[in-house]
């Protein structure tokens, strides 16, 4: 029993849903109370998924429980009828797992032609990533057992990109760009966009790329064991790691070729070949770090937290390539803790493997870094301590599913990450100026914005501000009148819309009641509403703003 | 339930079809999302699992502050075999950290299946923390959908409402609505000479109104049936049976019926007409449109009634639950329409694809996929978080639907159809 305000991951069925939602012709059926279907909204809202999520809730409710009815067979028939998928994955959630249903026999009762896979890990033990990762492994074991002859040209599988993965779609694009430069074809991407038939094709690749340790690496290793297809499980994040990865991929392919009597010798392409224009350095990071203002980064302290892959790679990249001091590094993938410690030990002594955000918060509070690279939760924590923060890992907000190309992997990724770090940190030179000469009023503005961001109540303008506003209003009115006059005189085709004749009298006074009503309006629209009410009052010749007047304006709904 | 002396005319009602509960909706826990904000001195403690915690942070996009006034006492694997679930330390922490006036203890599916004796757990905690009441609230998804649990929360508040003496004839509005709406409804009632005692829930426990035999309980929305019946049974209060004050039409009926309880015959026809005149630009966007409501938040009946008044054609009105007695007046206004209780979502999707409505009012996970198929949508959840009540709320209400419809109308001139999903390969 513990108190939870917030979790880094969802539960096992979220992982299953993510796999199904990534694929084509695969449907998940979760035997659960109706509310557990909330995960579907993550696909359609966060990632703006175009399809109805292929995740069906087989509703467990009090009525059916009382009657001893299980709807699962009926749900399977419904899914079979509506979607006719190649594969249905049956899973459970916390509450339904307690009922210890025999899913195998229930699935047989459904009597449907579709293949059914029961994948119901213990939701009290297995979290989202582990569950999805486990399902990928099971699918490989089950559907990729048949040996196939290798493709005639060098090709690789990419295992790991998944629905709701952190920048995964962009990562995939970055990998594909690099592979194309290297003259390597992509055999299968799994699970994103894959079908069951695609899984069956996995054994014909020369190597498997699985950049995410917590998502898909195990499936790649299983494939290696089954068919001797080398698995490349390092993450090409940062320039050094990317270059190493390129060589590792080439080596694996050459090794596979010689082991299978294929005459192929792939060479590392020239560095410029990886760039967008084929002429320049594919990553601007090496030059960027030695430019004058970035040299100051060597004194900056960074704190890194996230999933295993991103936390390890960003720690290494910040420490070695951007020359920052790592004051803390951690991951919420607790089951990979030992491996994590081993990998980040060279960069920091302060290692946190925990799924309790409060622990991470405490560590940030104690180290007070200059920059935090973390999840959505560390963003909240950092705002509290007033430390700049960039997201480098799930869980994240909707804005991390960007329209523009923002990969983390590869040379393209190194540029994006560097930009993200740079935009997050206080600028080098500007910071020196501020330290020397004060903030020239910038700080005031910033503080005001920050206060707004944090949902602090904005105070209504003071009387003198209101006077200024009135003054500004007068001036605006005069200008508009002038413009209209000019337009009329010059016979302009477009006449400026005549303003309402405002009865600008003395200052407006708000009654206490009306002020209270104004305070009930959410802070972020309050100034707009205030302005609207005051304009209305002026144009109707009121000098006293009453509660009734506030609602009269609302009623008139002048949007 | 004591029904007011006003004799209800026998008006035909919409027939309600009942389906198989295959709908998708959030569970009762989600009411925490708005109720903890409404009741500023409360703490909502959910006895649940990791899934419940994940739901709370995802479903409503609830912002996490340093110290949110809600949390999940998480049942972990070890607790499943423990002789008794003990949350004393957790409650102790909440009391020390937050100092709430009241703690709502919400159940969830897992403890429900474990047969945790919730009431006695709350009783024990009340003995230990005798200065902070701990109230058990049923909110599990085995039985309750998102808004229904508000009813359970309100029900538990009666003990904090002072007893009003006989002869204290004032109105108590029931249902959580935001302060912009409460101020407005109170103002509107007082303008009509109808005395208001207050609102349940109120912003703080101390502000809860007195309720007694002459109180008139006025429900603001369709999901307070259980609590209003309880209040009326235990305190002898009268229950207003009317339409809900949603839309100019419903608001007018609501206040006219309310006035009758005070022996006043008022006619708000002109007031209603004025509001409709103000709304004309929005109503014209809705008029003649074919609208399908899939149903998940229980506001569907009054919303459908309002849309029908706007001149829309309602193809189907789905709703999780209909209480024929409590929703009588709304059902009368919907006579002739297809109202489906506990609709099957999959059947609805099939129907919507075939019927191609101009607008589908639906949940978070169906909205974008329908849009991808070229069908305009409006999120149902947005309706819950919009101050739509009363005469002044009507503009926000109309806006919700007009905006969605207008947006699609305006797209036609941009000539970019090829960019949209239903014209794309994948």
């Amino acid at each position: 029993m513990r108190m939870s305000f917030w979790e880094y991951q969802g539960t096992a069925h979220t992982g299953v849903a993510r796999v199904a939602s990534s694929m084509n012709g695969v449907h998940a059926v979760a035997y659960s109370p109706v509310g557990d279907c909330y995960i579907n909204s993550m696909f359609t809202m966060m990632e703006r998924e175009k399809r109805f999520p292929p995740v069906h809730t087989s509703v467990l409710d009090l009525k059916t429980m009382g009657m001893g009815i299980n709807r699962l067979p009926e749900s399977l028939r419904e899914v079979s009828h509506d979607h006719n998928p190649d594969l249905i994955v049956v899973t459970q959630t916390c509450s339904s797992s307690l009922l210890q249903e025999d899913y195998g026999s229930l699935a047989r009762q459904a009597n449907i032609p579709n293949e059914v896979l029961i994948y119901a890990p213990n939701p009290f033990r297995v979290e989202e990533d582990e569950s999805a990762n486990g399902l990928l492994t099971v699918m490989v074991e089950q559907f990729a057992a048949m040996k196939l002859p290798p493709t005639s040209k060098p090709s690789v599988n990419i295992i790991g990109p998944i629905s709701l993965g952190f920048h995964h779609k962009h990562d995939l694009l970055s990998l594909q760009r690099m592979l194309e430069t290297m003259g390597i074809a992509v055999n299968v991407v799994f699970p994103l966009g894959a079908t069951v038939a695609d899984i069956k094709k996995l054994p014909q690749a020369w190597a498997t790329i699985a950049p995410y340790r917590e998502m898909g690496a195990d499936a790649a290793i299983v494939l290696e064991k089954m068919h001797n297809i080398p698995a490349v499980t390092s993450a090409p994040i940062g320039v050094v790691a990317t270059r190493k990865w390129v060589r590792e991929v080439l080596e694996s392919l050459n090794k596979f070729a010689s082991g299978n009597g294929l005459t192929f010798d792939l060479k590392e392409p020239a560095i410029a070949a990886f760039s967008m224009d084929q002429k320049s350095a594919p990553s601007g990071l090496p030059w960027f770090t030695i430019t004058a203002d970035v040299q100051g980064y060597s004194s900056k302290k960074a704190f890194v937290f996230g999933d295993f892959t991103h936390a390890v790679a960003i720690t290494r990249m910040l420490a070695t390539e951007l020359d920052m001091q790592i004051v803390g590094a951690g991951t919420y993938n607790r089951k990979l803790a030992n491996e994590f410690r081993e990998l980040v030990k060279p960069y920091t002594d302060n290692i946190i493997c925990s799924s309790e955000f409060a622990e991470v918060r405490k560590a940030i509070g104690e180290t007070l870094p200059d920059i935090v690279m973390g999840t959505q939760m560390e963003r909240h924590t950092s705002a509290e301590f007033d430390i700049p923060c960039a997201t480098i890992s799930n869980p994240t907000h909707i804005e991390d599913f960007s329209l523009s190309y923002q990969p983390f992997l590869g040379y393209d990724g190194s540029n994006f990450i560097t930009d993200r770090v740079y935009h997050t940190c206080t600028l080098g030179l500007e910071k020196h100026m501020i330290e020397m000469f004060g903030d020239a009023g910038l700080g005031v503005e910033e503080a005001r914005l920050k206060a707004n961001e944090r949902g602090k109540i904005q105070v209504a303008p003071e009387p003198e501000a209101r006077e200024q506003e009135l003054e500004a209003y007068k001036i605006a009115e005069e200008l508009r009148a002038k413009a209209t006059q000019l337009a009329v005189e010059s016979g302009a085709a477009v006449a400026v819309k005549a303003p309402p004749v405002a009865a600008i009298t003395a200052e407006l006074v708000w009654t206490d009641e009306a002020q209270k009503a104004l305070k009930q309006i959410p802070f972020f629209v309050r100034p707009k509403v205030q302005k609207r009410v005051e304009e209305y009052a002026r144009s109707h010749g009121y000098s006293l703003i009453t509660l009734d007047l506030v609602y009269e304006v609302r009623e008139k709904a002048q949007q | 339930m004591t029904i007011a002396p006003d004799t209800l005319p026998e008006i035909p009602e919409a027939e309600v079809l009942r389906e198989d509960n295959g709908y998708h909706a959030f569970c009762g826990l989600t009411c925490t999302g708005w109720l903890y904000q409404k009741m500023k001195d409360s703490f909502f403690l959910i006895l649940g699992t990791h899934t419940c915690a994940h739901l709370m942070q995802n479903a409503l996009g609830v912002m996490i502050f340093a110290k949110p006034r809600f949390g999940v006492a998480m049942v972990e694997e070890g607790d499943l075999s423990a002789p008794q679930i003990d949350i004393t330390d957790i409650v102790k922490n909440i009391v020390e950290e937050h100092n709430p006036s009241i703690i709502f203890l919400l159940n969830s599916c897992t403890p429900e299946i474990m047969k945790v004796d919730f009431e006695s757990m709350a009783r024990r905690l009340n003995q230990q923390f005798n200065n902070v009441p701990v109230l058990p609230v049923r909110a599990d998804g085995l039985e309750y959908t998102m808004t229904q649990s508000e009813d359970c929360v309100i029900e538990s508040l009666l003990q904090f409402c002072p007893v009003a003496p006989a002869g204290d004839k004032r109105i108590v509005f029931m249902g959580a609505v935001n302060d912009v709406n409460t101020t407005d409804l109170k103002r509107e009632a007082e303008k009509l000479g109808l005395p208001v005692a207050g609102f349940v829930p109120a912003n703080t426990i101390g502000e809860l109104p007195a309720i007694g035999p002459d109180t008139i309980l006025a429900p603001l929305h369709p999901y307070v049936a259980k609590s209003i019946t309880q209040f009326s049974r235990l305190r002898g209060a009268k229950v207003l049976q009317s339409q809900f004050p949603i839309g100019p039409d419903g608001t007018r009926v609501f206040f006219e019926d309310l006035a009758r309880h005070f022996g006043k015959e008022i006619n708000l026809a002109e007031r209603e007409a004025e509001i409709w005149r103000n709304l004309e630009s929005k109503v014209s966007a809705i008029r003649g449109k074919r609208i399908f409501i899939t149903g998940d938040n229980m506001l569907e009946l009054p919303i459908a009634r309002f849309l029908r008044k706007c001149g829309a054609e309602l193809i189907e009105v789905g709703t999780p639950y209909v209480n024929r007695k409590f929703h009588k007046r709304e059902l009368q206004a919907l006579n002739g329409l297809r109202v489906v209780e506990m609709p099957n979502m999959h059947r609805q999707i099939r129907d919507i694809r075939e019927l191609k409505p101009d607008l589908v009012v639906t949940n978070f996970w169906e909205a974008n996929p329908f849009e991808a198929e070229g069908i305009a949508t409006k999120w149902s959840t947005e309706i819950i978080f919009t101050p739509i009540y009363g005469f002044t709320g009507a503009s926000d209400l109309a806006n919700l639907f007009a905006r969605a419809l207008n947006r699609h109308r305006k797209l036609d001139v941009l000539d970019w159809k090829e960019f949209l999903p239903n014209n794309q390969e994948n």
Side-chain angles (χ1 to χ4, degrees):
Chain A
M1 176 63 60
R2 68 179 173 96
M3 185 63 169
S4 161
F5 287 108
W6 201 84
E7 293 296 324
Y8 284 107
Q9 294 189 66
T11 35
H13 81 296
T14 313
V16 175
R18 282 176 63 189
V19 173
S21 182
S22 306
M23 297 180 69
N24 288 317
V26 176
H27 221 92
V29 173
Y31 175 61
S32 74
V34 72
D36 290 353
C37 71
Y38 73 90
I39 52 174
N40 286 349
S41 58
M42 293 166 62
F43 301 115
T44 54
M45 301 294 298
M46 295 251 293
E47 207 162 15
R48 298 176 210 275
E49 174 59 51
K50 301 175 183 86
R51 302 181 301 172
F52 287 90
V55 182
H56 185 112
T57 305
S58 183
V59 179
L60 158 70
D61 59 17
L62 211 59
K63 206 176 90 200
T64 48
M65 264 173 74
M67 292 159 73
I69 302 169
N70 189 308
R71 298 170 64 136
L72 190 60
E74 187 194 328
S75 303
L76 291 171
R77 282 192 289 269
E78 189 158 32
V79 169
S80 176
H81 171 273
D82 280 6
H83 308 281
N84 194 23
D86 305 323
L87 176 70
I88 301 176
V89 182
V90 173
T91 193
Q92 61 184 3
T93 65
C94 300
S95 44
S96 59
S97 74
L98 301 183
L99 299 171
Q100 308 260 315
E101 296 280 10
D102 177 355
Y103 299 121
S105 96
L106 286 162
R108 278 191 296 279
Q109 278 173 44
N111 195 17
I112 50 169
N114 318 68
E115 183 147 15
V116 177
L117 170 66
I118 311 291
Y119 181 77
N122 179 342
F124 289 94
R125 263 182 232 171
V126 175
E127 290 179 276
E128 177 181 342
D129 285 356
E130 197 190 342
S131 164
N133 181 57
L135 179 54
L136 297 181
T137 310
V138 167
M139 282 178 159
V140 167
E141 284 168 342
Q142 190 146 333
F143 299 110
M146 179 116 81
K147 199 148 188 66
L148 292 172
T151 53
S152 56
K153 293 220 166 72
S155 73
V156 294
N157 299 316
I158 300 174
I159 299 185
I162 187 170
S163 154
L164 289 173
F166 186 72
H167 293 237
H168 278 201
K169 285 177 180 167
H170 303 171
D171 279 355
L172 181 58
L173 197 56
S174 175
L175 291 176
Q176 284 166 328
R177 268 179 32 76
M178 289 194 295
L179 291 165
E180 199 176 329
T181 305
M182 291 150 75
I184 301 163
V186 175
N187 178 46
V188 169
V189 176
F190 173 59
L192 201 64
T195 59
V196 173
D198 289 329
I199 307 177
K200 292 176 178 166
K201 281 191 225 153
L202 286 169
Q204 54 186 26
W206 295 23
T208 303
I209 289 164
Y212 311 116
R213 176 64 191 87
E214 66 287 324
M215 191 63 72
D218 291 337
I221 291 162
V222 160
L223 201 62
E224 179 166 36
K225 283 194 182 121
M226 286 159 73
H227 301 295
N228 256 323
I229 297 169
V232 179
T233 55
S234 65
I237 294 181
V239 176
V240 175
T242 299
R243 195 164 193 194
K244 227 168 96 187
W245 176 88
V246 167
R247 290 171 178 169
E248 202 185 331
V249 171
L250 294 169
E251 267 164 40
S252 303
L253 290 168
N254 289 332
K255 191 178 110 190
F256 181 89
S258 64
N260 287 274
L262 298 154
T263 44
F264 251 100
D265 188 22
L266 287 159
K267 299 263 184 298
E268 188 181 349
I271 284 293
F274 288 100
S275 70
M276 292 268 182
D277 61 5
Q278 317 279 303
K279 292 199 291 259
S280 44
S283 171
L285 168 59
W287 164 236
F288 172 87
T289 63
I290 54 173
T291 50
D293 64 324
V294 180
Q295 288 181 18
Y297 273 31
S298 58
S299 59
K300 282 198 191 292
K301 294 190 238 157
F303 185 100
V304 184
F305 191 85
D307 63 22
F308 180 96
T309 301
H310 291 91
V312 169
I314 298 290
T315 297
R316 188 189 295 128
M317 183 178 163
L318 294 186
T320 56
E321 300 182 30
L322 283 161
D323 199 26
M324 292 188 185
Q325 297 172 47
I326 308 296
V327 294
T331 182
Y332 54 76
N333 293 125
R334 282 170 308 158
K335 289 187 183 169
L336 302 169
N338 290 342
E339 222 175 307
F340 184 84
R341 279 177 217 286
E342 211 48 49
L343 289 168
V344 301
K345 216 167 47 190
Y347 313 109
T348 183
D349 303 329
N350 188 15
I351 300 171
I352 303 117
C353 296
S354 167
S355 52
E356 299 258 6
F357 88 86
E359 263 183 71
V360 183
R361 180 165 164 254
K362 194 164 148 270
I364 292 172
E366 283 166 357
T367 51
L368 288 178
D370 297 307
I371 185 170
V372 172
M373 307 289 270
T375 73
Q376 175 192 162
M377 196 62 229
E378 282 63 54
R379 274 180 47 181
H380 288 295
T381 299
S382 304
E384 228 183 296
F385 293 121
D386 205 12
I387 298 166
C389 175
T391 27
I392 53 134
S393 157
N394 271 350
T396 178
H397 273 311
I398 196 160
E399 64 261 24
D400 256 301
F401 294 92
S402 60
L403 304 187
S404 58
Y405 180 46
Q406 297 188 345
F408 268 68
L409 299 185
Y411 292 124
D412 294 349
S414 71
N415 288 331
F416 171 67
I417 298 166
T418 308
D419 281 344
R420 193 163 259 207
V421 172
Y422 189 71
H423 294 165
T424 306
C425 282
T426 320
L427 302 184
L429 207 56
E430 199 175 320
K431 188 167 164 277
H432 291 305
M433 294 290 249
I434 288 169
E435 279 166 5
M436 282 279 286
F437 305 109
D439 64 4
L442 286 170
V444 179
E445 180 62 15
E446 246 175 57
R448 199 180 57 77
L449 285 172
K450 276 217 173 89
N452 274 356
E453 270 168 32
R454 290 200 209 135
K456 288 195 184 127
I457 300 300
Q458 229 202 10
V459 280
E462 292 303 310
E464 60 265 30
R466 218 178 291 154
E467 247 165 58
Q468 284 170 4
E469 200 186 329
L470 201 62
E471 202 48 49
Y473 183 83
K474 269 189 196 155
I475 293 167
E477 285 293 273
E478 279 166 20
L479 282 173
R480 262 199 302 227
K482 262 201 192 117
T484 311
Q485 203 185 342
L486 278 172
V488 171
E489 280 170 12
S490 64
V494 188
V496 182
K497 207 171 150 213
V501 184
I504 299 182
T505 50
E507 190 192 314
L508 293 167
V509 177
W510 287 69
T511 65
D512 284 354
E513 262 186 335
Q515 274 195 48
K516 212 172 121 189
L518 186 65
K519 287 214 175 89
Q520 291 173 341
I521 293 161
F523 69 92
F524 47 90
V525 286
R526 201 176 299 148
K528 206 162 100 182
V529 172
Q530 181 175 344
K531 193 162 162 257
R532 222 165 61 198
V533 171
E534 291 185 350
E535 276 175 5
Y536 184 89
R538 285 194 195 99
S539 62
H540 288 72
Y542 297 109
S543 57
L544 185 70
I545 295 177
T546 60
L547 183 63
D548 281 353
L549 190 73
V550 172
Y551 278 97
E552 192 178 316
V553 176
R554 197 164 182 255
E555 222 169 87
K556 291 281 190 291
Q558 294 161 334
Q559 292 295 333
Chain B
M1 188 188 306
T2 331
I3 291 186
D6 50 346
T7 45
L8 294 170
E10 275 310 312
I11 300 172
E13 295 167 24
E15 289 206 17
V16 181
L17 289 154
R18 191 168 196 174
E19 267 182 326
D20 64 354
N21 205 20
Y23 69 99
H24 277 198
F26 291 135
C27 67
L29 296 179
T30 42
C31 72
T32 299
W34 63 90
L35 290 175
Y36 95 92
Q37 295 185 53
K38 173 75 197 171
M39 293 184 257
K40 299 179 185 353
D41 55 348
S42 64
F43 191 99
F44 281 71
L45 178 60
I46 294 161
L47 181 62
T49 61
H50 189 147
T51 308
C52 308
H54 192 239
L55 157 86
M56 288 311 298
Q57 74 197 45
N58 271 295
L60 300 166
V62 178
M63 285 292 288
I64 309 292
F65 301 104
K67 286 165 79 173
R69 284 187 290 99
F70 65 86
V72 179
M74 225 159 79
V75 175
E76 293 173 296
E77 198 176 7
D79 299 309
L80 299 178
S81 51
Q84 198 182 58
I85 285 190
D86 184 14
I87 56 169
T88 314
D89 290 348
I90 285 176
V91 173
K92 187 163 168 273
N93 257 330
I94 291 169
V95 171
E96 285 166 3
E97 284 263 307
H98 294 267
N99 188 24
S101 318
I102 190 163
I103 296 173
F104 294 100
L105 178 61
L106 277 62
N107 77 332
S108 68
C109 302
T110 295
E112 203 49 36
I113 290 174
M114 288 166 72
K115 300 206 164 35
V116 170
D117 183 352
F118 224 62
E119 270 67 22
S120 54
M121 182 190 274
R123 255 201 312 280
R124 269 200 313 278
L125 290 164
N126 275 321
Q127 281 156 5
Q128 280 164 298
F129 303 94
N130 51 19
N131 51 348
V132 187
V134 179
L135 307 181
V137 170
R138 306 190 61 84
D140 63 273
L142 295 166
E143 220 178 338
Y144 298 94
T145 169
M146 61 191 306
T147 48
Q148 283 174 309
S149 291
E150 178 178 314
D151 207 359
C152 307
V153 170
I154 294 176
E155 205 180 355
S156 70
L157 290 173
L158 180 63
Q159 55 189 300
F160 303 95
C161 299
V163 178
D168 179 358
K169 191 171 179 179
R170 287 182 299 161
I171 302 160
V172 168
F173 292 106
M174 301 264 298
V177 300
N178 86 352
D179 294 346
V180 172
N181 283 147
T182 55
T183 307
D184 182 36
L185 290 162
K186 186 166 185 284
R187 191 184 64 103
E188 199 73 54
E190 283 166 353
K191 268 206 303 211
L192 300 169
L194 310 172
V196 176
F199 289 77
V200 184
N203 287 348
T204 59
I205 292 296
E207 290 170 80
L208 285 167
I211 295 173
D214 289 313
T215 302
I216 313 296
L217 299 171
L220 298 177
H221 45 222
Y223 39 94
V224 289
K226 217 163 55 130
S227 49
I228 216 162
T229 309
Q230 270 301 66
F231 282 27
S232 141
R233 216 167 43 86
L234 296 170
R235 298 273 173 100
K238 311 280 181 300
V239 174
L240 169 77
Q241 173 130 42
S242 179
Q243 288 180 359
F244 300 103
I246 292 170
D249 49 332
T251 306
R252 172 191 168 181
V253 173
F254 177 85
F255 280 116
E256 285 179 357
D257 286 344
L258 204 47
R260 264 180 221 114
H261 276 272
F262 293 86
K264 295 186 178 192
E265 276 298 330
I266 53 171
N267 183 341
L268 293 170
E270 186 35 49
R271 182 98 171 88
E272 186 196 346
E274 182 197 6
I275 302 287
W276 282 117
R277 278 196 297 276
N278 288 340
L279 295 183
E280 178 50 33
S281 66
K282 291 157 193 142
V283 172
S284 63
I286 300 168
R287 195 172 293 129
K289 293 290 187 292
R290 297 161 64 249
I291 300 178
F292 191 117
I293 304 180
T294 61
D296 64 344
N297 62 20
M298 290 196 47
L299 282 167
E300 294 85 5
L301 302 183
I303 295 292
R305 184 248 308 140
F306 164 76
L307 290 170
R308 190 184 204 181
K309 262 277 196 283
C310 290
E313 180 196 333
L314 276 299
I315 302 177
E316 175 172 322
V317 184
T319 188
Y321 167 70
V322 178
N323 178 325
R324 279 176 183 66
K325 192 169 168 188
F326 186 62
H327 299 152
K328 193 183 181 76
R329 297 289 298 278
E330 296 290 356
L331 289 170
Q332 288 170 347
L334 297 179
N335 184 33
L337 293 188
R338 178 184 159 85
V339 178
V340 184
E341 186 183 17
M342 293 186 163
N344 179 299
M345 179 184 109
H346 309 279
R347 188 271 308 158
Q348 286 181 324
I349 292 174
R350 290 193 292 268
D351 284 357
I352 287 165
R353 281 178 173 154
E354 193 184 327
L355 299 167
K356 296 241 181 306
D358 297 305
L359 186 73
V360 176
V361 181
T362 190
N363 59 40
F364 277 140
W365 45 95
E366 287 176 66
N368 284 343
F370 276 132
E371 292 279 0
E373 294 182 19
I375 294 167
T377 62
K378 178 81 251 161
W379 292 345
S380 49
T381 310
E382 201 179 343
I383 304 170
I384 299 181
F385 298 135
T386 306
I388 56 172
Y389 298 84
F391 285 126
T392 65
S395 116
D396 280 353
L397 176 63
N399 235 338
L400 285 173
F401 306 101
R403 237 188 238 141
L405 288 159
N406 284 335
R407 178 72 192 127
H408 277 261
R409 203 170 39 78
K410 286 185 205 154
L411 293 181
D412 294 341
V413 301
L414 297 172
D415 185 31
W416 65 14
K417 276 209 160 54
E418 300 89 333
F419 290 85
L420 295 173
N422 50 340
N423 297 298
Q424 295 277 308
E425 280 299 302
N426 51 6

